[in-house]
Amino acid sequence: MNVYDGQRISAMLEKHGMTQTEDVKDADLIILNTCAVRAKATDKVYSALGRIRRAKKESALLGIVGCVARESGGDAFKRIPELNFVLGPQSYHKLPEIIKNPDTKLLNIDMSGLEKFDELPQITKSPTVAYIPIQEGCNHCCTYCIVPYTRGRELSRPFDDVVRDTINAAKTGAIEICFLGQNVNGYKYTDKNGKLYRLSDLIKSAAELPEIHRIRFTSSYPTEMTDDLIEMFKQEPKLLPFLNMPIQSGSPRILKKMNRPNDIGAYKDIVQKLKLARPDIQISSDFIVGFPDETDEDFAETLRIAREIKYINSYSFKYSPRPHTAAALMSNQISEQIKSVRLQQLDSLLNENQREFNISCIDREMICLCEGPDKTGRNLIFRTPYMQQCIVEKPNTEIQPLQKIKITDANKASLRGEIIK
């Protein structure tokens, strides 16, 4: 979501005659696009602001947009007096106002709707991978999660608006579409004639575009994995055989405390349905360790589900208390030492799962998407249908964005391959 927001902010400011620079000392306008999902992310924002205010030229305008702006509100000006603007995730289309009135402090953290999508200009040149938001906010209100506060309750964009953005992306260079939402598979939009549209309808629409060869979506919620969406994995070959479906914990007791009603048995049933629909599908997940009152037995259940599902790639974090969340007020908070030990154990298991899957890919041939050269310039980086990084020696001839690659080697982090001519 932040990648998309950054692209749209850049396109909007270019419409107002600005060009992008990577050097803070040259910038007339400096924007930090922020995330508040964990305390560490918020801390990094203010640390970066401290460095930037010392390095920037005196006349440069400085501000933050996104979730930390919403979380901090007017207090951000107290912490960093040099800030010129603080704009929430639904308000960054107001940035041109600060250009017109540079001497005015601008605070806007309104969460009232999807106005920004109407105000932002269309992108005239799309990246190869186009991120298309289809909804914002979340109604699930997990007790650890700050998203309902920073992004608001669920709002689904009109179906025709999303289709318009998808068509524009396809016509301007995209060959992969990634549909985005805090609860992306909870997308529901009813038009004026009473017709209900779901994520499966958006996938069908995108698949009809000849320019689009790959489709995926993130982040999904287990109980929103409806049969029509599962059927898409069977019917639509452009939909990648890869799904991130966060479970957070393997303990039913902890899931209940998290206010995540997905029953472990029901979760396993969904995985089974997905594999029946698409035998080559692979699953990744998200985990939180050290949630308040998590016992050794609870954590053992998390290790058990990780072994059973064999996630090929996962994101795991120590529980981080966030303001405006119920879990931050819970008793029996777990010590950082215990969290660290549990995270190390879980990461070790998840890394081994990932390594095993990567090794199983050796000698396979896959159609992969080129992301460009690596830092050395000697190799190209591709993404497999499972979103693995595959490094290929750069050929002397021109290559296409999509190439058939034979996997020749693998480790935990990445694959090696060669282009099949």
Side-chain angles (χ1 to χ4, degrees):
M1 187 69 80
N2 278 22
V3 171
Y4 167 85
D5 287 342
Q7 291 171 349
R8 298 312 298 271
I9 288 170
S10 179
M12 175 179 60
L13 295 177
E14 286 172 2
K15 289 280 186 182
H16 285 79
M18 305 197 79
T19 56
Q20 191 169 337
T21 175
E22 299 300 326
D23 191 338
V24 168
K25 294 178 182 178
D26 290 338
D28 299 300
L29 176 63
I30 304 165
I31 307 162
L32 267 69
N33 184 22
T34 65
C35 171
V37 71
R38 287 179 296 280
K40 189 175 182 180
T42 299
D43 293 342
K44 284 185 175 182
V45 169
Y46 284 102
S47 178
L49 285 170
R51 294 193 302 271
I52 290 169
R53 68 179 176 181
R54 293 189 293 271
K56 76 180 186 71
K57 57 187 179 185
E58 188 174 347
S59 60
L61 300 172
L62 172 64
I64 57 174
V65 303
C67 290
V68 172
R70 165 66 180 166
E71 176 192 356
S72 299
D75 287 342
F77 291 116
K78 297 176 183 177
R79 293 185 65 173
I80 308 289
E82 291 86 351
L83 285 175
N84 300 95
F85 56 92
V86 175
L87 299 173
Q90 310 289 28
S91 307
Y92 63 72
H93 60 288
K94 304 287 187 182
L95 272 169
E97 293 181 21
I98 198 69
I99 300 172
K100 295 175 184 176
N101 303 287
D103 297 324
T104 303
K105 297 270 187 179
L106 180 60
L107 170 66
N108 191 316
I109 53 174
D110 181 49
M111 303 294 292
S112 59
L114 297 172
E115 176 191 349
K116 70 178 180 184
F117 293 108
D118 297 324
E119 297 289 330
L120 295 171
Q122 284 284 347
I123 289 178
T124 56
K125 181 172 174 53
S126 174
T128 304
V129 179
Y131 295 100
I132 310 289
I134 65 173
Q135 60 90 232
E136 292 239 355
C138 186
N139 290 344
H140 286 290
C141 297
C142 301
T143 56
Y144 56 81
C145 186
I146 197 174
V147 164
Y149 179 80
T150 59
R151 291 271 180 174
R153 306 309 293 268
E154 279 183 30
L155 290 171
S156 292
R157 295 182 64 198
F159 178 79
D160 289 344
D161 288 2
V162 179
V163 171
R164 178 202 63 207
D165 285 357
T166 305
I167 292 172
N168 180 69
K171 298 298 183 185
T172 57
I175 62 175
E176 179 179 306
I177 296 294
C178 180
F179 290 120
L180 294 176
Q182 276 77 38
N183 181 28
V184 68
N185 54 338
Y187 176 84
K188 301 179 188 72
Y189 179 76
T190 304
D191 68 12
K192 60 183 180 181
N193 299 316
K195 180 174 173 55
L196 174 65
Y197 292 95
R198 305 292 300 265
L199 174 55
S200 56
D201 297 300
L202 290 171
I203 292 169
K204 290 175 189 175
S205 176
E208 292 172 356
L209 300 173
E211 300 91 345
I212 300 303
H213 296 271
R214 295 170 34 135
I215 302 169
R216 57 189 172 96
F217 56 89
T218 194
S219 280
S220 62
Y221 193 87
T223 58
E224 307 275 13
M225 194 59 62
T226 51
D227 288 342
D228 61 302
L229 184 54
I230 293 172
E231 185 67 16
M232 280 291 97
F233 284 97
K234 181 177 181 180
Q235 292 181 2
E236 184 45 64
K238 290 185 179 181
L239 184 60
L240 295 183
F242 174 74
L243 175 67
N244 177 261
M245 192 165 65
I247 192 169
Q248 306 299 0
S249 173
S251 164
R253 190 180 75 88
I254 293 299
L255 287 174
K256 186 174 181 180
K257 289 176 70 72
M258 289 178 169
N259 193 34
R260 290 184 68 86
N262 46 293
D263 175 82
I264 295 295
Y267 184 96
K268 292 178 184 178
D269 289 343
I270 292 168
V271 172
Q272 185 61 28
K273 283 184 179 181
L274 286 162
K275 293 192 172 185
L276 287 172
R278 186 77 174 264
D280 62 339
I281 198 168
Q282 296 293 335
I283 311 295
S284 72
S285 193
D286 297 353
F287 291 93
I288 294 172
V289 302
F291 189 79
D293 200 32
E294 181 188 67
T295 65
D296 289 342
E297 291 75 17
D298 293 319
F299 177 64
E301 291 184 274
T302 296
L303 294 176
R304 190 175 301 119
I305 194 73
R307 289 191 191 97
E308 185 173 343
I309 303 296
K310 282 195 172 294
Y311 301 102
I312 68 162
N313 180 25
S314 292
Y315 305 94
S316 51
F317 305 96
K318 293 187 286 186
Y319 166 71
S320 174
R322 307 304 294 122
H324 315 290
T325 64
L329 304 177
M330 290 180 179
S331 59
N332 297 328
Q333 297 283 329
I334 305 300
S335 72
E336 286 300 311
Q337 181 182 6
I338 293 175
K339 288 181 192 177
S340 295
V341 170
R342 288 177 181 170
L343 182 62
Q344 186 177 25
Q345 286 181 269
L346 179 59
D347 280 347
S348 178
L349 173 58
L350 295 172
N351 289 342
E352 182 59 24
N353 287 347
Q354 184 174 348
R355 188 187 69 83
E356 286 180 5
F357 178 71
N358 284 354
I359 289 174
S360 76
C361 292
I362 294 175
D363 291 333
R364 289 182 60 180
E365 296 179 359
M366 303 184 191
I367 303 296
C368 301
L369 178 70
C370 185
E371 292 190 332
D374 68 0
K375 292 180 180 179
T376 69
R378 297 190 298 270
N379 303 303
L380 294 175
I381 296 175
F382 286 81
R383 288 285 168 186
T384 75
Y386 301 104
M387 301 308 295
Q388 301 148 293
Q389 184 185 79
C390 182
I391 301 168
V392 176
E393 186 177 348
K394 190 174 182 180
N396 295 325
T397 56
E398 185 177 353
I399 65 155
Q400 298 300 312
L402 287 170
Q403 292 279 171
K404 183 180 281 190
I405 305 291
K406 181 177 180 181
I407 309 305
T408 58
D409 199 4
N411 56 35
K412 180 196 77 68
S414 63
L415 309 176
R416 287 272 179 177
E418 57 187 30
I419 296 173
I420 298 175
K421 298 179 181 178

